[in-house]
């Protein structure tokens, strides 16, 4: 198969093949279950680099993960159709204790299970990313955020609030998503200055040109930007100077144990100093203890976010009637 060349017009294409194999035994079950097993094995053959053969085994951990993600995919699609997505909010507070001025909150996606219980994003986001559902989820978040933002401004016109929204790398690259967002901002330009888009360092590094183009387009409407999970990449500081962002959110992996791990403290101090030299505001994420909060204040980090500061809460508690 690899030696075959497919010609179309004046172009020649190489051809590859991935194979999923499943044994048919007396315990195989139905034809549908056999085909499902073969399909999962074929998917893993592609996932492992293509042009490979993967043999199905019932105890295969990779297959179990893939099937679990397939189930999540169906679960997410049902949640979208049945309107079982919700937003919570978590405050991002200044470390100097000042309460006047602009309020800063991050909106957090939640999914409701069939029984009404809340599912945190770490359970379903990996599957959404793998199966390209993130633009649909991000689109829902954008539309809901704009609605919330407008209601908030109507109910509290004197209290400025910056709403932070997480965007995936897949959405940043999706032309349809970007058109949708631009259309919303063109229709409600007054909301732009109240929006802050959070982009993970990994997504930014992987799509530097696209991200810079996106930032430029959104800044025309007054939107701000935060680089999330900073410090998780291998070349963080080298890429930072090429990104026009306002906030630097320090990866929680360095913040959790900052009160007891001197290396984590040195890392946070270095990120904070360089961020300030570049004119950026720094945010310590995942602040889970008063001790960590005290260290971040000593360092001079501008903002903190985490359960020790404010636990995520339903939107109704941000502004009644939302």
């Amino acid at each position: 198969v690899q030696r075959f060349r497919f010609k179309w017009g004046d172009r020649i294409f190489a051809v590859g093949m991935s194979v999923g194999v499943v044994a048919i035994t007396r315990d195989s079950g139905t034809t549908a279950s056999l085909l499902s097993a073969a399909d999962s094995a074929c998917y893993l053959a592609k996932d492992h680099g293509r042009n490979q053969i993967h043999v199905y085994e019932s105890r295969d951990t990779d297959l179990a993960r893939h099937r679990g993600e397939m189930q999540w995919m169906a679960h997410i699609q049902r949640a979208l159709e049945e309107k079982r997505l919700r937003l919570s909010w978590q405050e991002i507070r200044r470390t100097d204790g000042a309460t006047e001025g602009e309020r800063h909150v991050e909106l957090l996606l939640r999914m409701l299970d069939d029984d009404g219980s809340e599912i945190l994003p770490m359970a379903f986001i990996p599957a959404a990313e793998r199966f390209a559902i993130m633009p649909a989820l991000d689109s829902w978040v954008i539309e809901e955020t704009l609605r919330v933002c407008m209601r908030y401004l109507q109910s509290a016109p004197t209290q400025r609030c910056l709403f932070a929204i997480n965007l995936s790398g897949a959405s940043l690259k999706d032309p349809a998503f970007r058109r949708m967002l631009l259309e919303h901002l063109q229709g409600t330009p007054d909301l732009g200055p109240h929006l802050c888009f959070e982009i993970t360092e990994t997504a930014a590094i992987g799509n530097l040109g696209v991200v810079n183009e996106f930032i430029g387009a959104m800044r025309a409407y007054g939107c701000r930007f935060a680089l999330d999970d900073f410090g998780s990449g291998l070349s963080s500081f080298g890429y930072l100077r090429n990104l026009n962002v306002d906030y630097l959110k320090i990866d929680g992996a360095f913040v959790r144990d900052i009160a007891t791990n001197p290396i984590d403290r040195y890392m946070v101090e270095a990120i904070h100093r360089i961020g300030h030299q570049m004119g950026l505001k720094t945010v310590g994420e995942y602040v889970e203890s008063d001790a960590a909060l005290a260290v971040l204040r000593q360092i001079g980090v501008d903002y903190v976010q985490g359960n020790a500061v404010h636990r995520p809460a339903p939107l109704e508690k941000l502004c009644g009637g939302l």
Side-chain angles (χ1 to χ4, degrees):
V1 171
Q2 283 184 297
R3 287 195 297 268
F4 179 76
R5 293 295 179 266
F6 173 70
K7 186 175 181 181
W8 181 261
D10 58 352
R11 301 185 64 186
I12 298 176
F13 300 88
V15 179
M17 181 174 69
S18 301
V19 181
V21 178
V22 58
I24 301 175
T25 69
R26 67 179 64 188
D27 301 318
S28 294
T30 65
T31 304
S33 64
L34 276 168
L35 289 172
S36 175
D39 182 61
S40 294
C42 186
Y43 179 89
L44 284 177
K46 296 176 183 177
D47 203 36
H48 291 160
R50 300 179 181 270
N51 289 325
Q52 296 194 31
I53 298 172
H54 192 93
V55 180
Y56 173 85
E57 294 180 11
S58 59
R59 296 182 181 180
D60 191 322
T61 55
D62 285 343
L63 281 169
R65 173 184 55 79
H66 171 62
R67 288 194 158 191
E69 289 175 342
M70 290 289 288
Q71 291 172 350
W72 273 118
M73 180 178 69
H75 206 35
I76 295 166
Q77 289 173 331
R78 283 204 315 274
L80 281 165
E81 293 168 1
E82 298 170 6
K83 303 186 187 313
R84 286 191 284 107
L85 296 175
R86 298 291 184 273
L87 287 178
S88 294
W89 67 284
Q90 186 175 42
E91 193 151 11
I92 301 173
R93 291 185 183 164
R94 292 171 56 168
T95 52
D96 60 10
T99 55
E100 71 277 2
E102 186 177 53
R103 198 174 189 183
H104 193 166
V105 302
E106 180 178 352
L107 298 182
L108 305 167
L109 180 62
R110 302 288 187 260
M111 185 167 70
L112 299 183
D113 208 345
D114 295 332
D115 61 2
S117 59
E118 196 175 78
I119 303 173
L120 297 179
M122 62 203 55
F124 61 88
I125 290 298
E129 289 175 336
R130 178 174 287 273
F131 294 103
I133 310 176
M134 281 310 303
L137 289 178
D138 284 345
S139 295
W140 182 89
V141 170
I142 291 293
E143 292 176 358
E144 187 69 4
T145 298
L146 293 177
R147 183 186 72 84
V148 168
C149 184
M150 189 170 293
R151 291 288 298 277
Y152 184 92
L153 295 178
Q154 291 171 350
S155 62
T158 61
Q159 174 63 67
R160 286 183 60 83
C161 187
L162 183 65
F163 295 89
I165 314 164
N166 292 281
L167 288 183
S168 67
S171 295
L172 291 170
K173 293 185 292 184
D174 187 340
F177 174 84
R178 296 170 71 177
R179 282 196 301 271
M180 176 276 299
L181 181 52
L182 281 170
E183 287 172 4
H184 277 303
L185 289 175
Q186 288 164 358
T188 53
D190 292 344
L191 299 185
H194 298 277
L195 302 178
C196 178
F197 296 108
E198 294 195 0
I199 302 169
T200 65
E201 180 188 352
T202 305
I205 290 173
N207 309 279
L208 198 58
V210 172
V211 169
N212 276 326
E213 183 185 340
F214 179 83
I215 290 175
M218 295 301 110
R219 280 199 180 281
Y221 294 91
C223 301
R224 282 171 270 178
F225 286 85
L227 192 59
D228 201 7
D229 298 337
F230 186 79
S232 59
L234 297 176
S235 306
S236 301
F237 294 120
Y239 284 99
L240 180 58
R241 60 189 174 190
N242 297 315
L243 289 165
N244 184 17
V245 297
D246 305 278
Y247 300 93
L248 201 57
K249 300 190 76 173
I250 303 168
D251 195 330
F254 301 121
V255 174
R256 285 192 190 93
D257 301 320
I258 194 172
T260 57
N261 188 325
I263 302 300
D264 286 346
R265 176 169 182 149
Y266 297 147
M267 289 291 294
V268 171
E269 286 177 342
I271 293 170
H272 169 70
R273 285 200 304 270
I274 290 177
H276 268 207
Q277 286 295 318
M278 300 181 70
L280 308 179
K281 296 292 186 182
T282 52
V283 183
E285 297 185 281
Y286 296 101
V287 181
E288 302 297 315
S289 68
D290 291 337
L293 178 57
V295 173
L296 292 169
R297 281 182 172 145
Q298 289 172 6
I299 293 172
V301 170
D302 300 293
Y303 294 86
V304 285
Q305 179 182 6
N307 290 335
V309 179
H310 176 255
R311 290 185 173 274
L315 278 176
E316 289 75 12
K317 294 187 178 180
L318 176 62
C319 180
L322 287 175

